[in-house]
Amino acid sequence: MNNFKMFCDKYGGAILGFIVGLVLAILLLCTNLYKLIIGIALIIACIYFGNYIQRNKENVKDKVKSFIDRL
């Protein structure tokens, strides 16, 4: 009994994470909810990159120019 308690204390988070991940994976694949999540992730990524480019215009210009010059 003591070994089982030590096992649960050590790996309880991983076991719980596995179960939650498995349930979410089944839910996403069966309901086509993954399409919505991919769309939302794409929108968030574009917002992040747009904000980054707006705040670092000079650095982005230099990096793009050096990339084009290499081509």
Side-chain angles (χ1 to χ4, degrees):
M1 189 63 151
N2 193 19
N3 289 336
F4 181 71
K5 182 170 173 38
M6 286 178 27
F7 178 79
C8 287
D9 287 342
K10 190 172 184 179
Y11 299 110
I15 293 169
L16 184 63
F18 171 76
I19 292 169
V20 170
L22 187 64
V23 168
L24 282 175
I26 291 170
L27 179 68
L28 290 175
L29 292 175
C30 291
T31 62
N32 287 331
L33 193 59
Y34 66 91
K35 293 178 184 177
L36 176 67
I37 292 175
I38 290 172
I40 291 172
L42 184 63
I43 290 170
I44 290 172
C46 290
I47 290 171
Y48 173 77
F49 287 124
N51 189 32
Y52 176 80
I53 290 170
Q54 182 180 4
R55 294 189 185 273
N56 300 307
K57 286 180 186 175
E58 295 302 320
N59 291 339
V60 172
K61 282 182 188 177
D62 293 337
K63 289 178 183 179
V64 170
K65 186 176 180 179
S66 67
F67 177 74
I68 290 173
D69 288 342
R70 278 190 271 156
L71 292 178

PDB file of all heavy atoms in Angstrom, residues 11-29:
ATOM      1  N   TYR A  11       3.831   9.966  -9.843  1.00  0.00           N
ATOM      2  CA  TYR A  11       3.348   9.979 -11.221  1.00  0.00           C
ATOM      3  C   TYR A  11       1.874  10.353 -11.363  1.00  0.00           C
ATOM      4  O   TYR A  11       1.305  10.186 -12.436  1.00  0.00           O
ATOM      5  CB  TYR A  11       3.562   8.597 -11.863  1.00  0.00           C
ATOM      6  CG  TYR A  11       4.999   8.190 -11.927  1.00  0.00           C
ATOM      7  CD1 TYR A  11       5.478   7.158 -11.135  1.00  0.00           C
ATOM      8  CD2 TYR A  11       5.886   8.847 -12.769  1.00  0.00           C
ATOM      9  CE1 TYR A  11       6.803   6.784 -11.182  1.00  0.00           C
ATOM     10  CE2 TYR A  11       7.214   8.474 -12.826  1.00  0.00           C
ATOM     11  CZ  TYR A  11       7.667   7.442 -12.034  1.00  0.00           C
ATOM     12  OH  TYR A  11       8.975   7.082 -12.086  1.00  0.00           O
ATOM     13  N   GLY A  12       1.257  10.867 -10.321  1.00  0.00           N
ATOM     14  CA  GLY A  12      -0.167  11.190 -10.366  1.00  0.00           C
ATOM     15  C   GLY A  12      -0.498  12.256 -11.402  1.00  0.00           C
ATOM     16  O   GLY A  12      -1.483  12.148 -12.133  1.00  0.00           O
ATOM     17  N   GLY A  13       0.317  13.297 -11.499  1.00  0.00           N
ATOM     18  CA  GLY A  13       0.084  14.350 -12.480  1.00  0.00           C
ATOM     19  C   GLY A  13       0.197  13.846 -13.902  1.00  0.00           C
ATOM     20  O   GLY A  13      -0.594  14.213 -14.774  1.00  0.00           O
ATOM     21  N   ALA A  14       1.169  12.984 -14.138  1.00  0.00           N
ATOM     22  CA  ALA A  14       1.348  12.433 -15.484  1.00  0.00           C
ATOM     23  C   ALA A  14       0.184  11.525 -15.868  1.00  0.00           C
ATOM     24  O   ALA A  14      -0.288  11.563 -17.005  1.00  0.00           O
ATOM     25  CB  ALA A  14       2.662  11.663 -15.557  1.00  0.00           C
ATOM     26  N   ILE A  15      -0.282  10.743 -14.933  1.00  0.00           N
ATOM     27  CA  ILE A  15      -1.412   9.851 -15.207  1.00  0.00           C
ATOM     28  C   ILE A  15      -2.669  10.663 -15.471  1.00  0.00           C
ATOM     29  O   ILE A  15      -3.395  10.402 -16.432  1.00  0.00           O
ATOM     30  CB  ILE A  15      -1.619   8.868 -14.033  1.00  0.00           C
ATOM     31  CG1 ILE A  15      -0.434   7.907 -13.932  1.00  0.00           C
ATOM     32  CG2 ILE A  15      -2.918   8.094 -14.193  1.00  0.00           C
ATOM     33  CD1 ILE A  15      -0.402   7.082 -12.670  1.00  0.00           C
ATOM     34  N   LEU A  16      -2.912  11.675 -14.663  1.00  0.00           N
ATOM     35  CA  LEU A  16      -4.073  12.533 -14.859  1.00  0.00           C
ATOM     36  C   LEU A  16      -3.966  13.281 -16.189  1.00  0.00           C
ATOM     37  O   LEU A  16      -4.949  13.392 -16.922  1.00  0.00           O
ATOM     38  CB  LEU A  16      -4.201  13.523 -13.701  1.00  0.00           C
ATOM     39  CG  LEU A  16      -5.417  14.420 -13.718  1.00  0.00           C
ATOM     40  CD1 LEU A  16      -6.682  13.578 -13.601  1.00  0.00           C
ATOM     41  CD2 LEU A  16      -5.342  15.421 -12.590  1.00  0.00           C
ATOM     42  N   GLY A  17      -2.792  13.783 -16.512  1.00  0.00           N
ATOM     43  CA  GLY A  17      -2.580  14.465 -17.792  1.00  0.00           C
ATOM     44  C   GLY A  17      -2.814  13.552 -18.972  1.00  0.00           C
ATOM     45  O   GLY A  17      -3.390  13.952 -19.992  1.00  0.00           O
ATOM     46  N   PHE A  18      -2.391  12.299 -18.854  1.00  0.00           N
ATOM     47  CA  PHE A  18      -2.619  11.320 -19.917  1.00  0.00           C
ATOM     48  C   PHE A  18      -4.102  11.075 -20.129  1.00  0.00           C
ATOM     49  O   PHE A  18      -4.581  11.047 -21.260  1.00  0.00           O
ATOM     50  CB  PHE A  18      -1.904  10.006 -19.585  1.00  0.00           C
ATOM     51  CG  PHE A  18      -2.256   8.888 -20.524  1.00  0.00           C
ATOM     52  CD1 PHE A  18      -1.720   8.861 -21.798  1.00  0.00           C
ATOM     53  CD2 PHE A  18      -3.140   7.890 -20.142  1.00  0.00           C
ATOM     54  CE1 PHE A  18      -2.041   7.835 -22.677  1.00  0.00           C
ATOM     55  CE2 PHE A  18      -3.465   6.866 -21.000  1.00  0.00           C
ATOM     56  CZ  PHE A  18      -2.911   6.837 -22.279  1.00  0.00           C
ATOM     57  N   ILE A  19      -4.824  10.914 -19.044  1.00  0.00           N
ATOM     58  CA  ILE A  19      -6.265  10.644 -19.155  1.00  0.00           C
ATOM     59  C   ILE A  19      -6.982  11.848 -19.770  1.00  0.00           C
ATOM     60  O   ILE A  19      -7.808  11.688 -20.677  1.00  0.00           O
ATOM     61  CB  ILE A  19      -6.849  10.279 -17.774  1.00  0.00           C
ATOM     62  CG1 ILE A  19      -6.289   8.927 -17.310  1.00  0.00           C
ATOM     63  CG2 ILE A  19      -8.369  10.243 -17.804  1.00  0.00           C
ATOM     64  CD1 ILE A  19      -6.584   8.594 -15.872  1.00  0.00           C
ATOM     65  N   VAL A  20      -6.674  13.051 -19.303  1.00  0.00           N
ATOM     66  CA  VAL A  20      -7.304  14.247 -19.855  1.00  0.00           C
ATOM     67  C   VAL A  20      -6.933  14.414 -21.326  1.00  0.00           C
ATOM     68  O   VAL A  20      -7.786  14.721 -22.164  1.00  0.00           O
ATOM     69  CB  VAL A  20      -6.904  15.501 -19.043  1.00  0.00           C
ATOM     70  CG1 VAL A  20      -7.344  16.769 -19.738  1.00  0.00           C
ATOM     71  CG2 VAL A  20      -7.489  15.425 -17.641  1.00  0.00           C
ATOM     72  N   GLY A  21      -5.669  14.194 -21.668  1.00  0.00           N
ATOM     73  CA  GLY A  21      -5.243  14.296 -23.061  1.00  0.00           C
ATOM     74  C   GLY A  21      -5.917  13.286 -23.957  1.00  0.00           C
ATOM     75  O   GLY A  21      -6.310  13.600 -25.082  1.00  0.00           O
ATOM     76  N   LEU A  22      -6.074  12.083 -23.472  1.00  0.00           N
ATOM     77  CA  LEU A  22      -6.745  11.040 -24.243  1.00  0.00           C
ATOM     78  C   LEU A  22      -8.207  11.384 -24.481  1.00  0.00           C
ATOM     79  O   LEU A  22      -8.708  11.259 -25.602  1.00  0.00           O
ATOM     80  CB  LEU A  22      -6.623   9.697 -23.515  1.00  0.00           C
ATOM     81  CG  LEU A  22      -7.122   8.477 -24.257  1.00  0.00           C
ATOM     82  CD1 LEU A  22      -6.288   8.245 -25.502  1.00  0.00           C
ATOM     83  CD2 LEU A  22      -7.054   7.260 -23.349  1.00  0.00           C
ATOM     84  N   VAL A  23      -8.889  11.865 -23.450  1.00  0.00           N
ATOM     85  CA  VAL A  23     -10.287  12.255 -23.597  1.00  0.00           C
ATOM     86  C   VAL A  23     -10.415  13.420 -24.574  1.00  0.00           C
ATOM     87  O   VAL A  23     -11.288  13.425 -25.444  1.00  0.00           O
ATOM     88  CB  VAL A  23     -10.909  12.601 -22.225  1.00  0.00           C
ATOM     89  CG1 VAL A  23     -12.263  13.273 -22.377  1.00  0.00           C
ATOM     90  CG2 VAL A  23     -11.017  11.359 -21.364  1.00  0.00           C
ATOM     91  N   LEU A  24      -9.534  14.413 -24.460  1.00  0.00           N
ATOM     92  CA  LEU A  24      -9.578  15.552 -25.380  1.00  0.00           C
ATOM     93  C   LEU A  24      -9.292  15.129 -26.809  1.00  0.00           C
ATOM     94  O   LEU A  24      -9.931  15.612 -27.746  1.00  0.00           O
ATOM     95  CB  LEU A  24      -8.589  16.625 -24.939  1.00  0.00           C
ATOM     96  CG  LEU A  24      -9.034  17.487 -23.771  1.00  0.00           C
ATOM     97  CD1 LEU A  24      -7.906  18.438 -23.366  1.00  0.00           C
ATOM     98  CD2 LEU A  24     -10.283  18.261 -24.100  1.00  0.00           C
ATOM     99  N   ALA A  25      -8.334  14.234 -27.001  1.00  0.00           N
ATOM    100  CA  ALA A  25      -8.008  13.769 -28.350  1.00  0.00           C
ATOM    101  C   ALA A  25      -9.198  13.049 -28.973  1.00  0.00           C
ATOM    102  O   ALA A  25      -9.531  13.270 -30.141  1.00  0.00           O
ATOM    103  CB  ALA A  25      -6.795  12.852 -28.296  1.00  0.00           C
ATOM    104  N   ILE A  26      -9.846  12.201 -28.211  1.00  0.00           N
ATOM    105  CA  ILE A  26     -11.022  11.488 -28.727  1.00  0.00           C
ATOM    106  C   ILE A  26     -12.138  12.476 -29.030  1.00  0.00           C
ATOM    107  O   ILE A  26     -12.785  12.403 -30.074  1.00  0.00           O
ATOM    108  CB  ILE A  26     -11.474  10.408 -27.723  1.00  0.00           C
ATOM    109  CG1 ILE A  26     -10.441   9.286 -27.666  1.00  0.00           C
ATOM    110  CG2 ILE A  26     -12.843   9.855 -28.085  1.00  0.00           C
ATOM    111  CD1 ILE A  26     -10.656   8.293 -26.542  1.00  0.00           C
ATOM    112  N   LEU A  27     -12.350  13.435 -28.139  1.00  0.00           N
ATOM    113  CA  LEU A  27     -13.392  14.438 -28.343  1.00  0.00           C
ATOM    114  C   LEU A  27     -13.115  15.279 -29.586  1.00  0.00           C
ATOM    115  O   LEU A  27     -14.008  15.525 -30.395  1.00  0.00           O
ATOM    116  CB  LEU A  27     -13.499  15.339 -27.118  1.00  0.00           C
ATOM    117  CG  LEU A  27     -14.536  16.458 -27.178  1.00  0.00           C
ATOM    118  CD1 LEU A  27     -15.933  15.854 -27.176  1.00  0.00           C
ATOM    119  CD2 LEU A  27     -14.363  17.400 -26.013  1.00  0.00           C
ATOM    120  N   LEU A  28     -11.877  15.699 -29.766  1.00  0.00           N
ATOM    121  CA  LEU A  28     -11.533  16.530 -30.914  1.00  0.00           C
ATOM    122  C   LEU A  28     -11.673  15.771 -32.224  1.00  0.00           C
ATOM    123  O   LEU A  28     -12.165  16.313 -33.212  1.00  0.00           O
ATOM    124  CB  LEU A  28     -10.109  17.067 -30.780  1.00  0.00           C
ATOM    125  CG  LEU A  28      -9.889  18.104 -29.695  1.00  0.00           C
ATOM    126  CD1 LEU A  28      -8.410  18.447 -29.597  1.00  0.00           C
ATOM    127  CD2 LEU A  28     -10.695  19.346 -29.945  1.00  0.00           C
ATOM    128  N   LEU A  29     -11.235  14.534 -32.258  1.00  0.00           N
ATOM    129  CA  LEU A  29     -11.290  13.768 -33.496  1.00  0.00           C
ATOM    130  C   LEU A  29     -12.709  13.339 -33.856  1.00  0.00           C
ATOM    131  O   LEU A  29     -13.061  13.279 -35.030  1.00  0.00           O
ATOM    132  CB  LEU A  29     -10.373  12.555 -33.404  1.00  0.00           C
ATOM    133  CG  LEU A  29      -8.880  12.884 -33.367  1.00  0.00           C
ATOM    134  CD1 LEU A  29      -8.079  11.612 -33.148  1.00  0.00           C
ATOM    135  CD2 LEU A  29      -8.440  13.579 -34.629  1.00  0.00           C
TER     136      LEU A  29
END
